[in-house]
Amino acid sequence: MTDSDGQMEYRSHQEVTLSEAERLDPERIRQGLRRGLWSVGIGLAVIVLAAVAIRGTEWGDEEIQALIQQADPGMLALSLLTICGAFCFMGPRWRALMPPPHQPPAFGLTAIICSGLLLNYAMPGPLGEVAAAWFAQRRYKVPLSDGLASGVAARMMGLATAALMALVIWLLVDLPQPTEKAEILRTTEWLIPIAALSIGAGGLALFWLAWKPHWWRRLSHRLLGGWAGDGRLATIARRIDGGVGTLAEALERVARRGIVPYLRAAGWSICAHSGVILGIYIAASGLGAEANLAGLSFTYVATTAGAVALFALPGSQVGWDFMFFSLLIAAAGLPAPVAAAVAVLVRVQQLTMMLLGAAALGWLLRNAAPTSS
């Protein structure tokens, strides 16, 4: 296959993606809304059942009673509001990568992102990103291809920023040792530097992919695009190559604007990550614990960046919770009961954002007519 053939194949993949977005209709989105609400209900039920089961044990009842006695409801409510408020920075991050003259209001873009979060949990495939671009076109006249490209680039900048923050924290700060109750985690201390270096390398790769996507397209085409035959491996290789080509072609349109939009998006990402870290710190304080701020920051950004690998596996939400819980003990120095409570609070926050996404989705469906940007 020649390079020009590759260009045509990648363009056809992009056209397929756009045609899928153009075929979106309110009924399919309402179906995603219903499934999303079911997902929220199931998530809350799992948390309640797990708490009841743990409280049924002698140790669990003791620890839960101690947490209830030392908890500050006002601080926990403030924590939840702070973490949810961090989402307000995601709208400006997306807008920073949109081509001029399209500058939709940050509040509207944030509502669209929240609705996309709900749809990503509810439906197979990246329906959230596609629907977000669809709503941005319907409401603010942002061209569909530009909405998709800038939305993907914004997500990549968020992950890359989190990964590089984790690497910088690990390089510059001495993270606390696990508490005595978490002695078992000492045997896996070597995993933290490996995770920090791997995540940091992944962050650099994401920055490079966002800034110079044609390099990845050429590399993928040379390694995977030439596979011939109808075998399973050849089919998988061609699909991966096509996906990389689609992503690279979309990102090239954003990259042509220069590095300044990327720097702005990175700045908004840092604001969003910092808001969540502050909210988690308030939650730990509200539970009577003294968390190490650097370790807590490393825990959040490393888990956020590592979620990319976890989401490729079955039961990814359980894996994310376990990784977050483990690092709260190993890197932030929290006692195991407090770490578990903080992990549950963060999960409740995510379910809360999904509920806000459901409300935003209802609002967007009722007001789907295009308006001036």
Side-chain angles (χ1 to χ4, degrees):
M1 185 184 292
T2 65
D3 189 61
S4 60
D5 291 334
Q7 294 277 356
M8 291 178 64
E9 182 177 345
Y10 296 134
R11 190 170 294 108
S12 67
H13 279 287
Q14 180 68 14
E15 288 168 356
V16 168
T17 304
L18 293 177
S19 65
E20 288 177 353
E22 288 165 355
R23 286 199 300 269
L24 271 181
D25 58 80
E27 185 51 42
R28 186 182 178 193
I29 294 175
R30 288 190 184 95
Q31 182 184 9
L33 172 60
R34 290 190 291 270
R35 290 187 182 181
L37 290 174
W38 272 106
S39 299
V40 173
I42 292 171
L44 291 173
V46 168
I47 291 173
V48 171
L49 290 175
V52 170
I54 293 172
R55 191 164 186 176
T57 65
E58 185 178 345
W59 174 86
D61 185 59
E62 229 175 81
E63 296 292 351
I64 289 176
Q65 288 292 345
L67 283 173
I68 291 174
Q69 288 175 4
Q70 64 193 25
D72 183 337
M75 292 281 282
L76 296 180
L78 177 61
S79 164
L80 194 63
L81 287 173
T82 303
I83 298 174
C84 291
F87 268 70
C88 294
F89 295 111
M90 293 186 179
R93 183 184 71 184
W94 185 12
R95 183 173 62 185
L97 293 167
M98 284 184 177
H102 304 290
Q103 291 292 294
F107 178 81
L109 291 180
T110 300
I112 290 174
I113 290 171
C114 289
S115 67
L117 173 68
L118 178 78
L119 293 174
N120 273 340
Y121 274 84
M123 305 286 279
L127 179 63
E129 281 73 18
V130 175
W134 185 76
F135 277 122
Q137 181 194 46
R138 293 288 297 271
R139 287 196 59 80
Y140 303 119
K141 299 182 181 178
V142 178
L144 196 56
S145 58
D146 290 327
L148 279 169
S150 56
V152 170
R155 292 239 177 201
M156 292 176 66
M157 293 304 295
L159 291 171
T161 304
L164 293 180
M165 287 174 69
L167 179 62
V168 169
I169 292 170
W170 178 76
L171 289 173
L172 299 182
V173 179
D174 290 329
L175 299 177
Q177 297 296 315
T179 62
E180 291 181 4
K181 289 185 179 180
E183 188 71 26
I184 190 173
L185 291 176
R186 291 181 183 275
T187 60
T188 58
E189 283 180 357
W190 56 274
L191 288 173
I192 291 182
I194 291 178
L197 291 171
S198 302
I199 289 171
L204 290 172
L206 280 172
F207 267 119
W208 187 253
L209 172 59
W211 178 236
K212 299 291 183 182
H214 62 279
W215 285 78
W216 293 82
R217 181 170 63 181
R218 290 176 183 175
L219 179 62
S220 172
H221 186 54
R222 289 182 183 277
L223 295 178
L224 303 173
W227 282 52
D230 299 323
R232 182 177 179 82
L233 287 178
T235 302
I236 293 173
R238 287 196 295 269
R239 284 180 179 175
I240 294 174
D241 181 44
V244 172
T246 299
L247 178 61
E249 188 164 318
L251 292 173
E252 282 174 357
R253 289 194 295 275
V254 181
R256 293 190 194 107
R257 296 183 55 210
I259 198 170
V260 173
Y262 287 95
L263 295 177
R264 288 176 180 164
W268 288 117
S269 295
I270 292 172
C271 291
H273 296 320
S274 300
V276 176
I277 291 167
L278 176 61
I280 296 173
Y281 183 80
I282 294 172
S285 300
L287 291 167
E290 213 169 301
N292 180 279
L293 184 57
L296 195 148
S297 301
F298 175 83
T299 295
Y300 170 72
V301 292
T303 308
T304 298
V308 176
L310 289 174
F311 284 160
L313 303 173
S316 59
Q317 295 304 312
V318 177
W320 190 95
D321 289 335
F322 180 75
M323 180 180 176
F324 185 62
F325 166 74
S326 301
L327 283 177
L328 282 173
I329 298 172
L334 290 180
V338 175
V342 170
V344 169
L345 184 71
V346 171
R347 176 57 61 192
V348 169
Q349 176 271 331
Q350 291 174 345
L351 294 174
T352 302
M353 292 308 302
M354 290 174 66
L355 286 175
L356 291 176
L361 203 53
W363 171 68
L364 289 166
L365 287 170
R366 286 195 303 270
N367 301 275
T371 62
S372 172
S373 60

